[in-house]
Amino acid sequence: MRYESFIKDIIYYLESSKKHQIINLAIYGAGKAGLILYNSLLKENSYNILTFFDDSEELQGRLIDGVQIRSPNKIKNFKNKIEKILIAMPSIDIK
């Protein structure tokens, strides 16, 4: 599956860049890829997932395992709290 390869690449990048500390991060994308990424990161015990961001108004305000899904307009509210934002949107169209 495409998601698993994508997630493994992200985990590898994070593992190679961390310095044995808890990293505060957010996940942009609360769909299937975001959930797979979230579950993979939980296994590592090195990440504190503070929030999800998603464009879908239908998802905003919901919770994934107690972590709130917010509008991307709220990213600025987390600028001093989040060290990294991981993008979990494998079908993103880059122009």
Side-chain angles (χ1 to χ4, degrees):
M1 287 198 159
R2 234 168 73 188
Y3 294 134
E4 283 77 13
S5 176
F6 175 71
I7 300 304
K8 286 179 185 175
D9 289 344
I10 290 174
I11 297 293
Y12 175 78
Y13 167 76
L14 289 172
E15 287 298 313
S16 65
S17 66
K18 73 179 182 184
K19 298 176 176 95
H20 304 289
Q21 61 185 8
I22 302 293
I23 297 172
N24 290 322
L25 52 84
I27 298 174
Y28 196 117
K32 183 176 180 181
L35 188 57
I36 291 169
L37 177 58
Y38 172 78
N39 286 322
S40 296
L41 293 171
L42 285 182
K43 295 174 187 175
E44 297 297 319
N45 293 324
S46 298
Y47 308 102
N48 182 26
I49 296 108
L50 298 177
T51 192
F52 287 87
F53 296 109
D54 200 284
D55 295 327
S56 172
E57 291 181 9
E58 189 174 304
L59 295 176
Q60 294 168 10
R62 293 185 182 186
L63 301 174
I64 294 177
D65 198 24
V67 180
Q68 188 169 9
I69 303 169
R70 303 172 195 275
S71 165
N73 295 333
K74 302 295 183 184
I75 290 175
K76 63 183 173 282
N77 297 344
F78 287 84
K79 69 179 184 178
N80 294 323
K81 299 174 187 168
I82 295 174
E83 296 170 58
K84 296 178 189 267
I85 297 177
L86 303 181
I87 299 173
M89 300 169 62
S91 62
I92 191 168
D93 182 23
I94 300 174
K95 296 182 182 183

